[in-house]
């Protein structure tokens, strides 16, 4: 009999930790429950109209119908460079220090292939975006999890990484503003990180898709703002969360030219670049009217405050996020991440994400996303008040 046998790298994938919640959600929906889904890390707000208009126009242009360049159109890379200068006061050479990506997830998944040999370690945050560790394993590397704990403001404690682990590490992933904890990093942390990277010769990959989703006057910073950053690393960025373009698949890598060259070599052999009409729309996003971004921040702020106030009324103690569209909420005594998620779903029809699904150190928390309307959030809070925690 013909046998289809999957490769070990697939067989060894960790079990899908959200499977139980997905199943329970489907059961509630089947029962006719009007489910409020706070588990989705995908903006519900549409892409701004100026970006859509640009796409409509440029999709007609037949020069955009051919293969794009591997590294991205120079005009797009210039727009990225100008945006970094305006937003972070960071200079990027558009030719060597900017690379277009088919969404930042694509670059994150591929970068270990460029730098990790079997047996190498990659330092990865826990809780964290699962692609860091899975991309590492696909490349034959071993993830070493750095816990993000409240006592350390959800920053990894670099001093706790054992010496022999640090010596064998090739890459280190961090992500601020953070998904799922909503923590932000400051200059001091990035400075320490650069010192650590230099001491052990570790390439820093900073994943930064949420820098524009902020609530305070002190905006989140770029890793590349800090002296020495470009020497040791790079940053992943994306138009997905800033311009509500998750479905368009457009992101970019910026920073150290040699690191980008390695990633580019992998990509050249796997994909053939990013549809030029989407890059044109990306230029419009970065250089056109920015008022939709301000409006987006106001919308998330209203939702955040409605949810925070409601959660506090029922006796929960959420961290008030300075950035990102997530709330990281400690579960009440007597619950685990999954039992509390199950309680919210089965008693109040509210879907949340168990923190443990993002890694062991996420146990004891749930993540709530602000990707539903304020009205639905208020409805959810009313239900919670009735059933209690
Ligand atoms: C949403 C998200 C991404 C992926 O963004 P794309 O550019 O859409 O691939 C990367 N990292 C984190 C932490 C995210 O939450």
């Amino acid at each position: 009999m013909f046998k289809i046998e999957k490769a070990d790298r697939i067989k060894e994938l960790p079990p899908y930790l959200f499977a139980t919640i997905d199943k329970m959600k489907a059961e509630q929906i089947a029962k006719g429950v009007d489910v409020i889904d706070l588990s989705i890390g995908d903006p519900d707000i549409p892409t701004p109209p100026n970006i859509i208009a640009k796409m409509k126009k440029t999709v007609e242009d037949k020069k955009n119908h051919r293969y794009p360049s591997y590294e991205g159109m120079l005009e797009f890379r210039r727009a990225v460079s100008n945006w970094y200068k305006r937003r972070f006061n960071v200079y990027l050479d558009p030719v060597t220090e900017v690379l277009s990506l088919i969404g930042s997830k694509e670059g994150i998944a591929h970068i270990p292939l460029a730098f990790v040999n079997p047996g190498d370690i990659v330092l990865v945050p826990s809780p964290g975006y699962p692609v860091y560790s899975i991309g590492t394993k696909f490349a034959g590397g071993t993830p070493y999890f750095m816990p993000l704990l409240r006592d350390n403001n959800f920053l990894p404690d670099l001093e706790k990484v054992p010496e022999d682990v640090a010596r064998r590490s090739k890459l280190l992933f961090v992500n601020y503003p953070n998904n799922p904890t909503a923590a932000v990093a400051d200059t001091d942390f990035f400075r320490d990180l650069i010192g650590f990277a230099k001491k052990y010769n570790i390439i820093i990959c900073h994943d930064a898709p949420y820098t524009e989703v902020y609530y305070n006057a002190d905006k989140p910073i770029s890793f590349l703002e800090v002296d020495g950053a470009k020497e040791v690393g790079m940053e992943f960025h994306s138009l997905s969360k800033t311009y509500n373009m998750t479905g368009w698949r457009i992101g970019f890598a910026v920073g150290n030219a040699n690191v980008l060259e390695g990633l580019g070599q992998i990509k050249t052999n796997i994909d053939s670049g990013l549809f030029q009409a989407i890059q044109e729309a990306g230029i419009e996003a970065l250089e056109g009217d920015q008022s939709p971004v301000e409006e987006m921040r106001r919308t998330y702020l209203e939702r955040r405050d409605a949810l925070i106030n409601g959660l506090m009324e029922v006796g929960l103690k959420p961290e008030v996020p300075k950035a990102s569209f997530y709330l990281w909420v400690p579960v009440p005594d007597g619950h685990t991440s999954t039992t509390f998620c199950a309680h919210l779903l089965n008693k109040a029809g509210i879907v949340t994400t168990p923190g443990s699904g993002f890694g062991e150190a996420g146990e004891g928390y749930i993540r709530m996303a602000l990707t539903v309307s304020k009205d639905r959030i208020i409805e959810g809070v009313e239900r919670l008040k009735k059933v209690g925690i």
Side-chain angles (χ1 to χ4, degrees):
M1 206 183 69
F2 188 75
K3 235 176 111 188
I4 298 195
E5 174 106 23
K6 286 179 186 159
D8 293 345
R9 73 176 61 82
I10 288 194
K11 290 190 199 155
E12 284 160 14
L13 279 172
Y16 179 61
L17 282 150
F18 305 125
T20 332
I21 289 291
D22 285 354
K23 194 163 156 258
M24 284 193 295
K25 177 181 159 188
E27 280 165 13
Q28 292 298 314
I29 291 170
K31 272 200 251 166
V33 174
D34 170 27
V35 159
I36 298 172
D37 197 343
L38 302 181
S39 73
I40 305 174
D42 186 352
D44 60 315
I45 309 166
T47 306
N50 60 313
I51 301 171
I52 296 172
K54 184 65 183 266
M55 179 72 180
K56 280 185 177 163
K57 208 170 117 212
T58 49
V59 80
E60 304 255 10
D61 187 342
K62 63 181 187 303
K63 81 170 182 309
N64 290 336
H65 300 169
R66 311 193 68 195
Y67 283 121
S69 64
Y70 289 115
E71 65 280 2
M73 296 161 71
L74 186 57
E75 295 84 342
F76 175 68
R77 289 179 292 145
R78 278 208 186 103
V80 168
S81 167
N82 292 337
W83 184 80
Y84 255 71
K85 182 74 193 149
R86 280 198 305 277
R87 171 63 175 89
F88 300 116
N89 199 25
V90 168
Y91 172 76
L92 297 169
D93 178 345
V95 176
T96 57
E97 295 176 337
V98 182
L99 179 68
S100 73
L101 298 173
I102 309 169
S104 57
K105 182 179 186 181
E106 179 262 302
I108 295 165
H110 283 145
I111 200 163
L113 291 175
F115 298 103
V116 174
N117 284 317
D120 289 345
I121 291 175
V122 176
L123 300 170
V124 169
S126 168
Y129 190 58
V131 191
Y132 312 137
S133 58
I134 290 174
T136 296
K137 287 188 195 164
F138 281 178
T142 307
Y144 179 88
F145 292 99
M146 306 177 289
L148 306 184
L149 304 175
R150 189 174 186 207
D151 290 348
N152 203 37
N153 300 316
F154 301 104
L155 300 167
D157 186 347
L158 300 171
E159 283 174 16
K160 294 238 165 80
V161 177
E163 180 88 22
D164 61 313
V165 170
R167 284 193 193 292
R168 287 169 53 208
S169 297
K170 200 64 201 292
L171 300 179
L172 179 152
F173 283 103
V174 270
N175 157 228
Y176 294 98
N178 184 254
N179 175 10
T181 69
V184 292
D186 55 13
T187 311
D188 285 345
F189 171 70
F190 284 141
R191 209 174 279 135
D192 290 349
L193 192 60
I194 292 164
F196 181 79
K198 284 187 178 163
K199 181 168 177 198
Y200 295 106
N201 209 85
I202 301 171
I203 299 167
I204 304 298
C205 302
H206 182 233
D207 182 21
Y210 294 101
T211 61
E212 305 317 295
V213 186
Y214 55 80
Y215 305 108
N216 298 358
D218 52 334
K219 301 175 189 177
I221 58 171
S222 160
F223 170 63
L224 298 176
E225 281 178 48
V226 182
D227 279 348
K230 219 193 264 180
E231 212 180 307
V232 300
M234 51 81 67
E235 192 154 76
F236 288 106
H237 220 296
S238 175
L239 277 63
S240 286
K241 314 287 164 55
T242 308
Y243 301 102
N244 305 318
M245 293 177 76
T246 49
W248 298 57
R249 312 312 302 134
I250 176 166
F252 47 90
V254 289
N256 186 287
N258 294 319
V259 175
L260 297 198
E261 186 186 43
L263 175 57
Q265 281 175 298
I266 296 295
K267 281 174 57 57
T268 305
N269 287 286
I270 292 180
D271 66 64
S272 300
L274 181 56
F275 183 23
Q276 288 196 162
I278 294 179
Q279 295 188 58
E280 295 274 10
I283 296 169
E284 174 62 27
L286 294 168
E287 300 201 321
D289 179 17
Q290 299 299 303
S291 63
V293 187
E294 276 162 40
E295 203 178 308
M296 168 195 77
R297 283 190 282 264
R298 275 197 298 273
T299 302
Y300 288 137
L301 178 66
E302 281 187 1
R303 294 174 180 181
R304 181 196 76 164
D305 291 346
L307 189 53
I308 293 271
N309 291 338
L311 296 179
M312 301 220 286
E313 273 181 61
V314 299
L316 290 169
K317 296 179 185 70
E319 306 276 339
V320 181
K322 292 188 187 129
S324 86
F325 49 60
Y326 303 109
L327 300 194
W328 190 236
V329 186
V331 304
D333 286 345
H335 271 293
T336 65
S337 295
T338 27
T339 65
F340 192 53
C341 277
H343 170 77
L344 295 177
L345 180 53
N346 297 329
K347 294 292 187 319
I350 300 170
V351 190
T352 57
T353 315
S356 51
F358 298 101
E360 248 172 67
E363 180 51 70
Y365 289 85
I366 60 166
R367 190 192 77 175
M368 292 177 159
L370 302 169
T371 49
V372 304
S373 71
K374 189 178 162 194
D375 286 350
R376 294 294 279 166
I377 286 174
I378 290 168
E379 159 73 20
V381 167
E382 290 308 316
R383 291 184 196 175
L384 263 185
K385 283 187 196 159
K386 274 189 209 116
V387 303
I389 54 168

